[in-house]
mmCIF file of all heavy atoms in Angstrom:
data_model
loop_
_atom_site.group_PDB
_atom_site.id
_atom_site.type_symbol
_atom_site.label_atom_id
_atom_site.label_comp_id
_atom_site.label_asym_id
_atom_site.label_seq_id
_atom_site.Cartn_x
_atom_site.Cartn_y
_atom_site.Cartn_z
ATOM 1 N N ALA A 123 39.743 15.817 -1.847
ATOM 2 C CA ALA A 123 39.604 17.182 -1.345
ATOM 3 C C ALA A 123 38.228 17.734 -1.730
ATOM 4 O O ALA A 123 38.118 18.555 -2.643
ATOM 5 C CB ALA A 123 40.717 18.071 -1.881
ATOM 6 N N PRO A 124 37.168 17.283 -1.067
ATOM 7 C CA PRO A 124 35.828 17.767 -1.423
ATOM 8 C C PRO A 124 35.703 19.282 -1.377
ATOM 9 O O PRO A 124 34.964 19.864 -2.168
ATOM 10 C CB PRO A 124 34.931 17.100 -0.371
ATOM 11 C CG PRO A 124 35.695 15.908 0.105
ATOM 12 C CD PRO A 124 37.142 16.310 0.032
ATOM 13 N N GLN A 125 36.465 19.918 -0.466
ATOM 14 C CA GLN A 125 36.359 21.366 -0.334
ATOM 15 C C GLN A 125 36.939 22.101 -1.532
ATOM 16 O O GLN A 125 36.632 23.285 -1.754
ATOM 17 C CB GLN A 125 37.054 21.831 0.955
ATOM 18 C CG GLN A 125 38.576 21.770 0.939
ATOM 19 C CD GLN A 125 39.142 20.371 1.191
ATOM 20 O OE1 GLN A 125 38.375 19.401 1.255
ATOM 21 N NE2 GLN A 125 40.443 20.270 1.340
ATOM 22 N N LEU A 126 37.765 21.416 -2.314
ATOM 23 C CA LEU A 126 38.359 22.046 -3.490
ATOM 24 C C LEU A 126 37.611 21.702 -4.780
ATOM 25 O O LEU A 126 37.971 22.206 -5.843
ATOM 26 C CB LEU A 126 39.830 21.619 -3.629
ATOM 27 C CG LEU A 126 40.767 21.989 -2.476
ATOM 28 C CD1 LEU A 126 42.191 21.497 -2.763
ATOM 29 C CD2 LEU A 126 40.770 23.501 -2.250
ATOM 30 N N CYS A 127 36.617 20.861 -4.684
ATOM 31 C CA CYS A 127 35.911 20.374 -5.877
ATOM 32 C C CYS A 127 34.631 21.175 -6.118
ATOM 33 O O CYS A 127 33.943 21.583 -5.178
ATOM 34 C CB CYS A 127 35.533 18.904 -5.726
ATOM 35 S SG CYS A 127 36.931 17.780 -5.529
ATOM 36 N N SER A 128 34.326 21.363 -7.380
ATOM 37 C CA SER A 128 33.002 21.866 -7.747
ATOM 38 C C SER A 128 32.110 20.732 -8.241
ATOM 39 O O SER A 128 30.913 20.926 -8.429
ATOM 40 C CB SER A 128 33.114 22.946 -8.826
ATOM 41 O OG SER A 128 33.694 22.423 -10.004
ATOM 42 N N PHE A 129 32.691 19.556 -8.468
ATOM 43 C CA PHE A 129 31.905 18.373 -8.795
ATOM 44 C C PHE A 129 32.681 17.150 -8.336
ATOM 45 O O PHE A 129 33.896 17.210 -8.113
ATOM 46 C CB PHE A 129 31.595 18.290 -10.300
ATOM 47 C CG PHE A 129 32.759 17.847 -11.151
ATOM 48 C CD1 PHE A 129 32.902 16.515 -11.541
ATOM 49 C CD2 PHE A 129 33.706 18.760 -11.570
ATOM 50 C CE1 PHE A 129 33.969 16.118 -12.325
ATOM 51 C CE2 PHE A 129 34.782 18.368 -12.357
ATOM 52 C CZ PHE A 129 34.918 17.039 -12.734
ATOM 53 N N SER A 130 31.980 16.053 -8.176
ATOM 54 C CA SER A 130 32.628 14.806 -7.795
ATOM 55 C C SER A 130 32.160 13.705 -8.734
ATOM 56 O O SER A 130 31.105 13.811 -9.370
ATOM 57 C CB SER A 130 32.300 14.430 -6.341
ATOM 58 O OG SER A 130 30.904 14.293 -6.167
ATOM 59 N N LEU A 131 32.937 12.653 -8.814
ATOM 60 C CA LEU A 131 32.587 11.514 -9.650
ATOM 61 C C LEU A 131 31.910 10.444 -8.793
ATOM 62 O O LEU A 131 32.348 10.176 -7.671
ATOM 63 C CB LEU A 131 33.838 10.932 -10.316
ATOM 64 C CG LEU A 131 34.547 11.874 -11.295
ATOM 65 C CD1 LEU A 131 35.802 11.208 -11.857
ATOM 66 C CD2 LEU A 131 33.624 12.255 -12.436
ATOM 67 N N LEU A 132 30.864 9.864 -9.332
ATOM 68 C CA LEU A 132 30.108 8.863 -8.595
ATOM 69 C C LEU A 132 30.736 7.484 -8.772
ATOM 70 O O LEU A 132 31.442 7.222 -9.748
ATOM 71 C CB LEU A 132 28.662 8.825 -9.080
ATOM 72 C CG LEU A 132 27.911 10.154 -9.153
ATOM 73 C CD1 LEU A 132 26.459 9.896 -9.512
ATOM 74 C CD2 LEU A 132 28.013 10.920 -7.856
ATOM 75 N N SER A 133 30.468 6.627 -7.812
ATOM 76 C CA SER A 133 30.790 5.217 -7.985
ATOM 77 C C SER A 133 29.709 4.646 -8.895
ATOM 78 O O SER A 133 28.531 4.627 -8.531
ATOM 79 C CB SER A 133 30.798 4.500 -6.635
ATOM 80 O OG SER A 133 31.108 3.142 -6.796
ATOM 81 N N THR A 134 30.090 4.197 -10.078
ATOM 82 C CA THR A 134 29.119 3.978 -11.145
ATOM 83 C C THR A 134 29.058 2.526 -11.602
ATOM 84 O O THR A 134 30.092 1.884 -11.804
ATOM 85 C CB THR A 134 29.446 4.864 -12.354
ATOM 86 O OG1 THR A 134 29.584 6.216 -11.919
ATOM 87 C CG2 THR A 134 28.343 4.800 -13.389
ATOM 88 N N HIS A 135 27.835 2.054 -11.766
ATOM 89 C CA HIS A 135 27.574 0.769 -12.415
ATOM 90 C C HIS A 135 27.085 1.050 -13.827
ATOM 91 O O HIS A 135 26.160 1.847 -14.023
ATOM 92 C CB HIS A 135 26.514 -0.012 -11.641
ATOM 93 C CG HIS A 135 25.960 -1.192 -12.384
ATOM 94 N ND1 HIS A 135 26.693 -2.335 -12.626
ATOM 95 C CD2 HIS A 135 24.732 -1.394 -12.960
ATOM 96 C CE1 HIS A 135 25.950 -3.195 -13.308
ATOM 97 N NE2 HIS A 135 24.763 -2.652 -13.523
ATOM 98 N N VAL A 136 27.710 0.425 -14.820
ATOM 99 C CA VAL A 136 27.365 0.667 -16.214
ATOM 100 C C VAL A 136 26.950 -0.650 -16.862
ATOM 101 O O VAL A 136 27.666 -1.650 -16.785
ATOM 102 C CB VAL A 136 28.549 1.279 -16.992
ATOM 103 C CG1 VAL A 136 28.162 1.528 -18.445
ATOM 104 C CG2 VAL A 136 29.011 2.571 -16.335
ATOM 105 N N ASP A 137 25.789 -0.634 -17.484
ATOM 106 C CA ASP A 137 25.289 -1.788 -18.226
ATOM 107 C C ASP A 137 24.611 -1.252 -19.479
ATOM 108 O O ASP A 137 23.425 -0.939 -19.478
ATOM 109 C CB ASP A 137 24.301 -2.577 -17.360
ATOM 110 C CG ASP A 137 23.730 -3.799 -18.083
ATOM 111 O OD1 ASP A 137 24.217 -4.112 -19.182
ATOM 112 O OD2 ASP A 137 22.795 -4.427 -17.550
ATOM 113 N N GLY A 138 25.379 -1.136 -20.550
ATOM 114 C CA GLY A 138 24.844 -0.545 -21.769
ATOM 115 C C GLY A 138 24.448 0.896 -21.515
ATOM 116 O O GLY A 138 25.215 1.666 -20.933
#
Side-chain angles (χ1 to χ4, degrees):
Q125 72 280 7
L126 299 180
C127 299
S128 62
F129 76 97
S130 59
L131 296 178
L132 309 186
S133 180
T134 308
H135 167 71
V136 180
D137 180 8

